[in-house]
């Protein structure tokens, strides 16, 4: 349980940074460049998703896939992200067009919902943290490799 809480905390930090990227790109696209909010939302989502993939698989989840199968991992991550994008677009449209909520306020509500979807779906389909011992062993191995690489320089 402790590992799950730590993992969700890390997910929230990475998600927070991804969300910041998402909001900044949307703000620039919509407010400064005058793009349609749905196009700006899609562009922002894609840029934030690329960062989120890298950070999630580096700092949060232990991949179920070997190095030679990373394409499967990325395909699943991308597929879940596309579902997240579709949810984002639908919910943005509903909040803005049907309920008349401002674009940036709508984005706050939509982000919360999609964040929960992202964590649960990625935890189920990408994470191989079947036990705390296996996580600790992987983290210890990562630290040892980093230290070895540091001394090789």
């Amino acid at each position: 349980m402790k590992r799950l809480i730590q993992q969700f905390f890390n997910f929230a930090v990475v998600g927070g940074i991804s969300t910041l990227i998402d909001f900044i790109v949307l703000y620039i696209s919509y407010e400064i460049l005058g793009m349609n909010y749905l196009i700006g939302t899609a562009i922002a989502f894609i840029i934030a998703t690329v960062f989120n993939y890298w950070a999630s698989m580096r700092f949060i989840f232990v991949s179920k896939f070997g190095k030679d199968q990373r394409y499967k991992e990325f395909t699943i991550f991308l597929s879940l992200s596309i579902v997240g994008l579709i949810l984002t677009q639908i919910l943005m449209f509903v909040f803005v067009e049907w309920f008349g909520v401002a674009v940036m306020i709508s984005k706050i509500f939509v982000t919360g919902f999609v964040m929960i979807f992202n964590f649960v779906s990625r935890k189920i389909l990408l994470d191989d943290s079947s036990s705390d011992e296996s996580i600790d062993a992987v983290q210890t191995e990562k630290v040892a490799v980093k230290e070895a690489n540091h001394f090789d320089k």
Side-chain angles (χ1 to χ4, degrees), residues 89-106:
Q89 295 289 65
I90 290 169
L91 292 172
M92 285 294 290
F93 181 83
V94 168
F95 275 101
V96 172
E97 301 297 332
W98 291 2
F99 299 128
V101 179
V103 169
M104 297 310 286
I105 300 298
S106 297

Side-chain angles (χ1 to χ4, degrees), residues 56-115:
S56 291
M57 298 316 294
R58 175 148 173 105
F59 300 111
I60 301 167
F61 300 115
V62 176
S63 180
K64 289 182 177 182
F65 303 96
K67 290 182 191 263
D68 59 333
Q69 296 182 323
R70 295 294 174 163
Y71 70 93
K72 290 181 183 179
E73 173 185 273
F74 183 74
T75 301
I76 292 169
F77 193 95
L78 183 61
S79 298
L80 294 173
S81 296
I82 290 169
V83 171
L85 175 59
I86 292 168
L87 287 171
T88 298
Q89 295 289 65
I90 290 169
L91 292 172
M92 285 294 290
F93 181 83
V94 168
F95 275 101
V96 172
E97 301 297 332
W98 291 2
F99 299 128
V101 179
V103 169
M104 297 310 286
I105 300 298
S106 297
K107 184 67 173 162
I108 292 168
F109 292 118
V110 170
T111 297
F113 179 80
V114 174
M115 179 183 165

Side-chain angles (χ1 to χ4, degrees), residues 3 32 38-39 51 66 73 81 91 97 102 104 114 126 135:
R3 171 69 184 145
I32 296 174
L38 292 175
I39 293 171
F51 168 79
E73 173 185 273
S81 296
L91 292 172
E97 301 297 332
M104 297 310 286
V114 174
L126 294 173
I135 299 298

